[in-house]
Amino acid sequence: MNRNRPFYLFVLGMVAVFGLFGQERDTPNIIFIMSDDHASHAISAYKGLYKDVAPTPNIDRLADEGMLFNNAFCTNSICGPSRAAILTGKYSHQNGFYKNEGGDPFDSTQETFPKLLQRDGYTTAVIGKWHLWSEPTGFDYYKYHTLNGEQGSYWDPVYNDNGAHIQEEGYATNLTGDFALEWLEEKRDKSKPFMLMFQFKAPHRPWYPDSKYEKLFDGVEIPYPETFNDDYATRELTAGKTMMTIEKHLTNKDLKIRRPKGMSDTEFKKWQRLGDKGEHVSPSDTLTGMALKKWKYQRYIKDYLACIRSVDDNVGRLLDYLDKSGLSKNTIVVYTADQGFYLGDHGWYDKRFMYEESLRMPFIIRYSGKVKAGRKNDNTILNIDFAPTLLDMAGLRPPKEIQGKSFAPLLFNTDKTGFRKAMYYHYYEYPKWHSVQPHYGIRTERYKLIHFYYDIDVWELFDLEKDPNELTNVYDDLEYEEVVKKLKRKLSRLQREYKANIPLERMRAVTDKGRIEY
């Protein structure tokens, strides 16, 4: 008996560790919640400008019970390319999806983290916004928005439901919440671990709130960002040339201005678009100047924040379901957005630039009992890191072609050293929709160096320690001459590392033609 004791203990250990003799592997479920254009400074857990006037208690609950990342960044600040980067763990120039306008559909034959999880035994689904122009692969079930360039509609949206196009009645945010809960409760294979991508259209333009929230902020003056009246003094050819200003480029449709009497449907469609190219738009002949700019901001930001209220409600519905069903303990829940967004910052709406408000993404993750609650992390993580991190947490080794790296060690350890010290960024789409020049750049903890290259040749340098609002380009300041040299060397190293070190002519070709071979 004593002679067999070591072998007996060894077998018990094998059973505990590897789940032998029919025991199930301890594999986490994953729910990846992603909204569209939800800036981190519109989530009250990030303590931004709107934390008191427009709190997000359910998203905050995830932060209270998990970890909040202060420095999560996207690699190409626009909807489709960011989604492609998240799925593949690769930069746009490697996954082939560079831009929303005029590019190729997402190559669905390439490897993605849902495919890898599915092959490992997960049941998988994507519900809500997809916006990649090709049928989802790697999912047992999909139900995604069609119409309006796959942006979908806020009211009575049409979904592609596993190949069948179905118009549903109701408000899109709530419907997407309904369908996600329905899949979790009724449609998934409950014998398997699951991965659900739960993706809202909101708060994407044109910012239509649910009817119950249309007057949510009546009588409230939403505060103005510190840079609301930015004059772009040191960035005339870049920030100063955009077509996404609150003052000049919100449309009649954006501002919900009442349709003029007697206007035909054809005329009305054209009238709704007025403002996109800088046409004068006002609800009255007497409202002009700064008063008009402030009115437009209030109309825009109230609708935007009201759309977020519904997102937060549906996050709460999901968390309540996980609690009631007993799934909370073994389910990783992520909340993020496809990129950041300008909420009047620099006088803008939209995204695209490498400037902080659109570069920065919210990223909050909860894994009850595994990730210590209430922690915040200041390490630089990227959207290409999401895939390898989730695979790592599921016990899978990421493929070699993935360019991101797992930050799972940051979730479980207090040691935060040795992770990414600098990030690379590249934006390609031009001139639609908002005339933002293609550019690439590097961001370190203190500095940001950007090169705008399409039909201008402009470099910008920002000292984020002295100028966190990025108002002053110090590229030509002699005080920063050595800083520029060092940053350019680091930038070149990152481009080589990510296989993005190609001539400017080839970069311009991406903007003009779409996909090119690197």
Side-chain angles (χ1 to χ4, degrees):
M1 184 73 172
N2 289 337
R3 283 179 301 174
N4 293 332
R5 183 175 176 79
F7 177 75
Y8 175 74
L9 293 175
F10 172 76
V11 170
L12 285 180
M14 292 292 287
V15 168
V17 174
F18 295 105
L20 299 178
F21 303 129
Q23 291 190 17
E24 290 188 6
R25 168 182 159 195
D26 183 20
T27 305
N29 304 308
I30 299 169
I31 298 180
F32 185 87
I33 311 170
M34 184 160 65
S35 52
D36 193 305
D37 293 344
H38 192 179
S40 58
H41 52 304
I43 295 174
S44 44
Y46 280 91
K47 309 301 181 186
L49 184 64
Y50 312 101
K51 61 183 175 59
D52 296 322
V53 70
T56 51
N58 294 300
I59 299 172
D60 292 358
R61 179 187 162 191
L62 282 175
D64 292 340
E65 297 173 357
M67 181 180 283
L68 178 149
F69 282 80
N70 285 314
N71 292 312
F73 301 114
C74 59
T75 50
N76 183 355
S77 183
I78 187 169
C79 302
S82 181
R83 292 163 191 271
I86 288 168
L87 285 168
T88 62
K90 298 185 291 189
Y91 273 89
S92 300
H93 65 275
Q94 292 292 302
N95 67 51
F97 201 93
Y98 302 90
K99 51 189 183 174
N100 288 339
E101 186 73 24
D104 291 337
F106 177 67
D107 177 7
S108 60
T109 66
Q110 63 190 308
E111 200 70 277
T112 64
F113 83 88
K115 285 184 183 179
L116 291 162
L117 291 172
Q118 187 185 50
R119 287 203 296 270
D120 193 57
Y122 276 76
T123 183
T124 58
V126 57
I127 296 172
K129 186 169 179 180
W130 179 243
H131 199 200
L132 288 169
W133 299 101
S134 59
E135 293 294 282
T137 55
F139 298 97
D140 300 304
Y141 178 75
Y142 58 79
K143 186 165 186 170
Y144 67 88
H145 283 289
T146 63
L147 303 184
N148 300 318
E150 290 198 356
Q151 295 288 355
S153 306
Y154 274 103
W155 287 100
D156 299 338
V158 176
Y159 290 88
N160 183 332
D161 188 334
N162 265 25
H165 291 260
I166 301 172
Q167 184 164 24
E168 304 282 1
E169 292 186 3
Y171 186 63
T173 305
N174 299 331
L175 288 170
T176 295
D178 291 343
F179 303 142
L181 292 176
E182 180 183 46
W183 183 79
L184 286 169
E185 179 61 22
E186 301 174 14
K187 293 186 175 181
R188 68 183 171 93
D189 183 344
K190 293 187 179 181
S191 69
K192 298 180 178 181
F194 64 82
M195 192 286 294
L196 168 64
M197 298 191 80
F198 179 23
Q199 306 190 148
F200 297 105
K201 170 186 171 58
H204 193 280
R205 190 183 187 189
W207 315 297
Y208 282 109
D210 190 354
S211 53
K212 69 179 179 179
Y213 290 137
E214 285 178 351
K215 297 182 179 181
L216 180 63
F217 298 106
D218 279 9
V220 177
E221 184 175 38
I222 306 296
Y224 297 88
E226 188 177 350
T227 60
F228 185 62
N229 291 313
D230 187 353
D231 62 4
Y232 319 122
T234 63
R235 292 118 53 232
E236 297 94 342
L237 294 177
T238 55
K241 296 293 185 181
T242 69
M243 296 177 69
M244 58 185 202
T245 66
I246 298 290
E247 184 174 16
K248 295 180 179 179
H249 299 103
L250 287 171
T251 67
N252 284 314
K253 183 176 182 179
D254 294 330
L255 298 166
K256 319 301 188 296
I257 295 177
R258 190 171 297 175
R259 177 176 180 167
K261 291 181 180 180
M263 183 174 282
S264 70
D265 289 346
T266 301
E267 291 172 327
F268 178 59
K269 287 180 180 179
K270 293 180 180 179
W271 178 85
Q272 281 191 306
R273 297 296 305 178
L274 289 179
D276 251 356
K277 295 179 173 61
E279 301 93 343
H280 178 70
V281 169
S282 177
S284 73
D285 294 336
T286 57
L287 189 59
T288 59
M290 183 54 67
L292 176 59
K293 180 179 178 181
K294 287 186 172 182
W295 178 86
K296 289 181 177 181
Y297 168 76
Q298 292 294 329
R299 191 60 189 260
Y300 154 59
I301 198 64
K302 288 178 180 181
D303 283 346
Y304 177 92
L305 294 173
C307 288
I308 289 171
R309 178 62 65 91
S310 292
V311 171
D312 192 71
D313 286 349
N314 281 279
V315 171
R317 291 174 64 200
L318 173 77
L319 297 182
D320 289 346
Y321 171 79
L322 294 178
D323 288 345
K324 291 174 183 176
S325 62
L327 289 168
S328 290
K329 186 175 181 181
N330 196 40
T331 300
I332 297 166
V333 182
V334 168
Y335 185 84
T336 188
D338 46 4
Q339 69 273 312
F341 210 69
Y342 296 105
L343 306 180
D345 314 281
H346 303 287
W348 292 328
Y349 64 93
D350 210 70
K351 54 267 185 178
R352 302 167 194 267
F353 275 114
M354 196 184 171
Y355 304 141
E356 289 292 282
E357 293 86 356
S358 62
L359 179 69
R360 189 181 303 277
M361 310 166 69
F363 191 88
I364 301 169
I365 185 167
R366 186 188 78 175
Y367 190 11
S368 299
K370 304 291 196 307
V371 174
K372 190 175 179 181
R375 292 170 63 196
K376 295 184 179 181
N377 187 286
D378 292 328
N379 286 88
T380 293
I381 64 171
L382 305 180
N383 58 354
I384 59 170
D385 298 333
F386 299 172
T389 301
L390 293 174
L391 291 171
D392 191 359
M393 294 177 77
L396 298 178
R397 182 174 295 177
K400 290 182 179 179
E401 65 265 25
I402 282 185
Q403 294 181 301
K405 59 182 180 178
S406 171
F407 53 83
L410 301 177
L411 300 172
F412 303 116
N413 302 323
T414 55
D415 182 11
K416 301 175 183 179
T417 61
F419 204 69
R420 182 181 285 103
K421 298 298 183 183
M423 68 153 295
Y424 177 67
Y425 178 88
H426 201 147
Y427 170 79
Y428 300 87
E429 187 170 297
Y430 182 78
K432 284 190 173 182
W433 275 92
H434 298 289
S435 199
V436 172
Q437 282 277 344
H439 56 285
Y440 60 85
I442 181 174
R443 185 195 189 280
T444 66
E445 292 180 1
R446 177 166 178 176
Y447 298 107
K448 186 182 294 180
L449 180 69
I450 311 173
H451 184 208
F452 297 87
Y453 62 82
Y454 183 75
D455 55 23
I456 59 176
D457 183 12
V458 173
W459 288 85
E460 292 181 350
L461 173 68
F462 299 98
D463 185 334
L464 300 175
E465 185 177 287
K466 295 181 179 179
D467 179 27
N469 289 326
E470 298 171 298
L471 295 175
T472 306
N473 174 18
V474 294
Y475 179 78
D476 292 322
D477 190 327
L478 292 178
E479 178 187 347
Y480 291 93
E481 187 174 7
E482 287 304 312
V483 171
V484 168
K485 290 179 182 177
K486 289 180 181 178
L487 286 173
K488 284 188 175 180
R489 288 196 292 269
K490 288 182 179 180
L491 176 59
S492 294
R493 284 200 294 271
L494 286 178
Q495 287 180 317
R496 289 194 297 272
E497 177 184 343
Y498 294 120
K499 300 178 182 178
N501 53 328
I502 64 168
L504 291 179
E505 307 86 71
R506 294 182 68 195
M507 293 183 185
R508 296 185 186 107
V510 175
T511 296
D512 291 335
K513 300 175 183 177
R515 179 194 295 265
I516 64 169
E517 296 300 325
Y518 273 70

